Structure formats: C-alpha cells, structure tokens
Amino acid sequence: MGKDTDSVIIKGFLKEIPIFKSLSDRHLSRLSENFIVCRVNRGETIFHQSDDSTDLYMILDGAVRASLVNEDGEELILAAFNRGDFFGEMSLLDGKPRSATMIAVDAATVGVLKRDAFLQAVKDDPIIAIDLLSAMVQRMRMADGMIESLAFLDVGQRLVRLLMQIARTAGEKDQSGFFRIKRLTHRELAARTGASREAVSKAMKVLVFRGVIKENEGHFLLSPLAEEIL
C-alpha cells in the first residue's frame, strides 16, 4: 500500500474508533496522514514492558495480546486486541515506560501514531481526551475483574469466566444454546487465567465431565449453564 492508500484506510478505521468519533472530517484526514503503517509477524514483539516508547497503536488487521513476562519466560496474558482496537494509550498520556509487553498473536498490520501528533489532535478537539479516559476506565474495570478472579475464584471458575467473556464477543450460539468458540490450548488458558498448565488440565477434565465444556473439531462448546458456576 502507498502512503495515500494507507491514509484512506486509516481514516476509515478512525471513524469507527470511539475516541476519535468526534473529530471533524478535516481533522480526521490530517490525523490519518500522521499514522505510519507497520507489519509484524506472528509471535513478534511490538514492544516490551518497560520500553521507553510513547506511540499509540491501532490494529488494522490481525490480533495482538498484552502480557506480563517474568525472567523465566512465564507469561500472564492481560488482554487480547483485535482488528479496530487500539493500545499503548497509557504511555501515550503520561510519557512513562510501557506497562506490558505486546505480542502479535497472528500476523498483524498496525497503524502507529506519534505522541506529538496525538497531543495536537487533542488540542484541535479536546473531547478526544474525555473519550480516551472513558475507554481507559472500561479497561480498568476489566483489570479489576481479572484481579477479582485471581483473588476469589478457583481455576475452574476462572476458566469459565474467561470462556464466557470470549463467547460474548466472538462466539456463535447454536440451536441447543451452546456457545461455539475457537479452541485455546491449555498453555494459552493458563496464561490467561494466571494458573499453571497442570491446574488448567485438571480443571478442564472436571468441566468436560460435568458437561460444561465440550471439545469439537478445533472448537470449544460452552454450555448455557456455565454461568451458574460463577
């Protein structure tokens, strides 16, 4: 894609993102020209926790995850981002190092906006700051939910809560009321629930035995009764 084509595509995405919805067409056009389009391979790190970078990222295609990774390489997945989502807003606002590591789940295309360009957009239309704060509050509420899960729920309950969240956003409901979602490996489930892979394997066996979860051709089928476990 050329620069002009990139700008047109990015402008279309900006119109769909809540924090930019109030911008005039003229301001959208100017902002879209400041984005740089980058492509990352599956498994590639976009930036590391504690990196000194302050850019805002927008996913044009693919998927990305936010993770905390310790010195032993163990990973806790904080959130998943897909086409149309943005990330990097915390360092964008306060200018401090990154709070998490961002890794491409699939091959991804991202638009990158420098902090100076974003601050100029805020000057053009301050309502952007209010919309961004609203989005950040929503993410903080999600983080609170994760903390609550780690503190008060057992591994089986954490798994059900995670899968229900995925089902609500990306699941398909069949005639029997089961949600059909893409199957995750036990390693992925462990990273997203703060549990060990062994604990996840044991909990999954129990959930399958109880009929809460079924596995079918690369997918999970989640029972409509799953929420009763929480």
Side-chain angles (χ1 to χ4, degrees):
M1 291 187 293
K3 178 65 176 176
D4 292 341
T5 303
D6 287 346
S7 295
V8 171
I9 293 173
I10 288 172
K11 182 179 178 181
F13 271 87
L14 292 177
K15 289 181 178 179
E16 303 300 322
I17 295 180
I19 64 171
F20 297 116
K21 65 183 179 183
S22 63
L23 282 180
S24 67
D25 195 67
R26 179 170 63 87
H27 286 156
L28 278 174
S29 295
R30 186 166 70 181
L31 185 62
S32 64
E33 291 172 357
N34 288 315
F35 273 86
I36 300 170
V37 175
C38 300
R39 293 162 183 81
V40 291
N41 297 320
R42 179 180 181 181
E44 185 177 343
T45 297
I46 298 171
F47 57 72
H48 291 90
Q49 181 181 354
S50 299
D51 278 358
D52 290 318
S53 64
T54 56
D55 302 335
L56 179 71
Y57 290 79
M58 181 172 62
I59 302 176
L60 306 178
D61 193 30
V64 173
R65 68 179 183 267
S67 299
L68 299 178
V69 183
N70 66 16
E71 295 179 354
D72 297 325
E74 296 176 328
E75 181 182 7
L76 173 64
I77 298 176
L78 302 175
F81 300 94
N82 299 294
R83 188 175 185 268
D85 290 334
F86 65 90
F87 60 91
E89 71 281 358
M90 290 179 63
S91 294
L92 175 82
L93 289 178
D94 64 14
K96 294 182 179 179
R98 299 297 187 180
S99 60
T101 297
M102 303 301 298
I103 303 169
V105 177
D106 302 312
T109 303
V110 297
V112 186
L113 182 68
K114 295 294 182 183
R115 186 168 187 255
D116 290 346
F118 176 81
L119 294 178
Q120 182 58 53
V122 172
K123 291 177 182 178
D124 290 339
D125 196 336
I127 197 67
I128 293 176
I130 297 175
D131 292 334
L132 179 57
L133 286 173
S134 178
M136 291 182 69
V137 167
Q138 183 178 357
R139 292 183 178 180
M140 289 174 66
R141 291 185 187 280
M142 292 176 63
D144 287 344
M146 173 176 279
I147 294 170
E148 178 188 11
S149 294
L150 291 173
F152 300 115
L153 302 182
D154 62 32
V155 175
Q157 290 173 317
R158 284 185 238 164
L159 286 170
V160 171
R161 174 172 284 190
L162 169 66
L163 296 177
M164 284 301 302
Q165 289 173 345
I166 296 173
R168 291 190 187 104
T169 57
E172 299 176 355
K173 207 169 188 178
D174 63 21
Q175 294 180 346
S176 62
F178 276 73
F179 284 102
R180 184 173 183 268
I181 62 175
K182 183 179 178 181
R183 184 181 181 278
L184 284 77
T185 66
H186 287 191
R187 180 177 181 179
E188 291 171 323
L189 291 170
R192 296 188 65 169
T193 56
S196 68
R197 187 161 45 180
E198 293 76 14
V200 166
S201 296
K202 291 178 181 178
M204 284 294 290
K205 288 180 181 179
V206 173
L207 292 172
V208 170
F209 177 78
R210 294 174 62 182
V212 177
I213 297 173
K214 299 179 181 179
E215 296 189 36
N216 182 276
E217 298 180 351
H219 290 83
F220 285 140
L221 295 177
L222 189 63
S223 168
L225 302 177
E227 286 186 299
E228 296 181 5
I229 295 176
L230 300 177

